[in-house]
């Protein structure tokens, strides 16, 4: 068995590649320099040459609110090109099994909580990351369409907010968890007496450790077609992957402060935007299939901080 993991250097892709290797699967990878996934001809030539048995599409251009707001054209163009090229060329070369990794931002901004799979395309998206979300929705629909027209077995998973070793800790372009870890670490190192967090601290977010995401992805990829199809529908073929609980940004900040050793004051700047007040995935369909996460939030934050300390010289630079 040879599986191409697109995006193997990213946080999720590297975790999936590692677990596949542990299972004895031959993992095929390419760096961005070796293979530009936005180049249709290069992707076609790769699939012709490699003859892989399956694909995990974890490659994407990702970033936080600031990055999505600043580079909307880059986010929609690059992600659409990656998805179209990889999914189509996988089909053209005879690959029957593919797993596409999406994002919880595919759901409407004002969606009922927790977010169910059938909420897709029922409302307006969050404006700050709409281009990225549209691209991810297109990836889901690509998989659905090839399944309907050609009988392929292309599956999609929608993770909640992910964190863990290999995350992006860039001071401006990272997501909330790595951003807080870096900020509190630097405040502790500098002996700062105060750390200011944007917003009121009341929004709630759900966080899933990347190792749990990797396990869930392979669990879904390995499901027999009849079991997978019994828990999905032709027009609803994606599956949510979440932790099952959420936490306020204030409580998350206090947890990160404790883990990093920060003993100063945490101040919340209510003049700054909160963003969406709650984002919690309904993962009951996946749970009904027999999978649950195993990494507790506090344990995961401690492990992530240890990884950051080991890579602080290069993390997010």
């Amino acid at each position: 068995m040879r599986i191409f993991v697109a995006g193997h250097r990213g946080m999720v892709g590297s975790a999936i590649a590692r677990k596949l290797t542990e299972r004895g699967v031959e993992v095929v990878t390419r760096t961005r320099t070796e293979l530009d996934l936005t180049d249709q001809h290069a992707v076609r030539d790769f699939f012709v040459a490699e003859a892989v048995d399956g694909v995990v599409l974890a490659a994407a251009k990702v970033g936080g609110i600031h990055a999505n707001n600043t580079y909307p054209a880059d986010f929609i163009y690059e992600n659409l090109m990656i998805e179209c090229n990889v999914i189509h060329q996988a089909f053209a070369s005879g690959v029957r099994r593919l797993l596409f990794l999406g994002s919880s931002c595919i759901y409407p901004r004002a969606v009922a909580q927790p977010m169910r799979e059938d909420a897709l395309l029922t409302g307006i998206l969050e404006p700050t990351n709409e281009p990225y979300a549209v691209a991810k929705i297109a990836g889901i629909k690509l998989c659905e369409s090839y399944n309907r027209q050609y009988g392929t077995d292309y599956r999609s998973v929608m993770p909640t907010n992910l964190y863990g070793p290999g995350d992006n800790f860039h001071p401006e372009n990272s997501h909330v968890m790595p951003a807080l870890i870096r900020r509190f670490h630097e405040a502790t190192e500098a002996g700062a007496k105060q750390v200011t967090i944007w917003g009121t601290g009341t929004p709630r977010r759900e966080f899933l450790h990347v190792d749990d995401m990797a396990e869930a992805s392979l669990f879904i990829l390995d499901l027999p077609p009849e079991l997978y199809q019994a828990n999905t529908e032709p027009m609803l073929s994606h599956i949510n992957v979440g932790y099952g609980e959420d936490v306020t940004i204030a409580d998350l900040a206090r947890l990160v402060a404790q883990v990093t050793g920060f003993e100063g004051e945490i101040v919340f700047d209510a003049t700054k935007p909160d963003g969406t007040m709650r984002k919690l995935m309904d993962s009951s369909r996946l749970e009904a299939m027999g999978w649950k996460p195993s990494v507790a939030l506090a344990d995961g934050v401690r492990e992530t901080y240890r990884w950051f300390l080991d890579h602080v010289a290069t993390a997010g630079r």
Side-chain angles (χ1 to χ4, degrees):
M1 175 70 69
R2 305 177 77 243
I3 294 183
F4 173 43
V5 178
H8 74 285
R9 286 187 166 180
M11 177 175 62
V12 184
S14 62
I16 292 175
R18 183 174 62 252
K19 291 188 179 295
L20 283 170
T21 300
E22 291 171 356
R23 296 183 178 192
V25 174
E26 181 183 351
V27 177
V28 179
T29 63
R30 291 293 187 276
T31 64
R32 186 175 302 178
T33 302
E34 294 169 334
L35 176 61
D36 179 1
L37 295 177
T38 67
D39 184 330
Q40 184 181 51
H41 297 296
V43 175
R44 179 197 60 196
D45 293 345
F46 164 80
F47 274 100
V48 170
E50 288 298 327
V52 296
D53 302 299
V55 174
V56 174
L57 180 45
K61 181 176 179 62
V62 298
I65 293 176
H66 175 78
N68 275 272
N69 257 334
T70 306
Y71 311 108
D74 293 349
F75 274 85
I76 192 167
Y77 171 78
E78 291 187 29
N79 284 298
L80 282 173
M81 293 300 290
I82 290 170
E83 295 160 8
C84 288
N85 289 339
V86 173
I87 292 172
H88 178 72
Q89 297 303 333
F91 161 74
S93 66
V95 174
R96 307 296 296 178
R97 298 177 66 218
L98 180 146
L99 185 72
F100 170 68
L101 275 69
S103 167
S104 62
C105 71
I106 64 169
Y107 295 117
R109 180 179 186 179
V111 68
Q113 300 289 323
M115 299 178 288
R116 292 164 44 96
E117 287 91 347
D118 57 11
L120 183 66
L121 297 176
T122 61
I124 296 173
L125 298 166
E126 165 60 38
T128 57
N129 61 10
E130 183 185 63
Y132 176 75
V134 167
K136 286 297 182 180
I137 292 170
I140 297 171
K141 293 303 178 182
L142 277 166
C143 291
E144 288 180 359
S145 299
Y146 278 80
N147 289 345
R148 288 172 57 202
Q149 186 169 344
Y150 297 113
T152 52
D153 188 7
Y154 294 173
R155 306 174 182 186
S156 300
V157 289
M158 299 300 117
T160 188
N161 298 298
L162 301 175
Y163 72 99
D167 209 340
N168 172 25
F169 292 85
H170 190 279
E172 294 182 351
N173 296 335
S174 59
H175 291 105
V176 60
M177 177 76 81
L180 287 177
I181 289 175
R182 185 182 191 108
R183 186 178 303 176
F184 278 105
H185 167 78
E186 292 178 347
T188 302
E189 291 288 292
K193 298 184 181 299
Q194 188 180 92
V195 168
T196 301
I197 307 296
W198 275 28
T200 63
T202 56
R204 304 184 69 88
R205 294 292 183 269
E206 178 186 29
F207 297 94
L208 182 72
H209 193 276
V210 67
D211 285 350
D212 275 336
M213 181 60 202
E215 289 287 357
S217 297
L218 299 186
F219 175 86
I220 292 170
L221 187 63
D222 290 342
L223 284 173
E226 61 274 13
L227 180 57
Y228 180 80
Q229 292 164 7
N231 285 276
T232 59
E233 304 169 19
M235 298 300 291
L236 190 62
S237 63
H238 62 285
I239 297 178
N240 288 344
V241 183
Y243 183 65
E245 300 176 11
D246 54 7
V247 62
T248 66
I249 296 299
D251 285 342
L252 176 64
R254 286 188 278 267
L255 173 60
V256 173
Q258 180 184 18
V259 168
T260 58
F262 178 73
E263 298 179 349
E265 181 184 12
I266 302 175
V267 176
F268 295 92
D269 183 357
T271 67
K272 302 298 185 182
D274 272 329
T276 305
M277 290 307 295
R278 193 181 192 195
K279 288 183 70 176
L280 176 65
M281 303 283 266
D282 182 337
S283 301
S284 58
R285 295 170 75 196
L286 180 57
E287 184 176 340
M289 295 182 207
W291 187 88
K292 288 184 178 181
S294 61
V295 181
L297 180 62
D299 294 336
V301 172
R302 281 190 288 268
E303 180 193 2
T304 304
Y305 184 52
R306 286 193 295 269
W307 185 92
F308 173 78
L309 290 177
D310 290 338
H311 299 82
V312 66
T314 56
R317 296 298 184 185

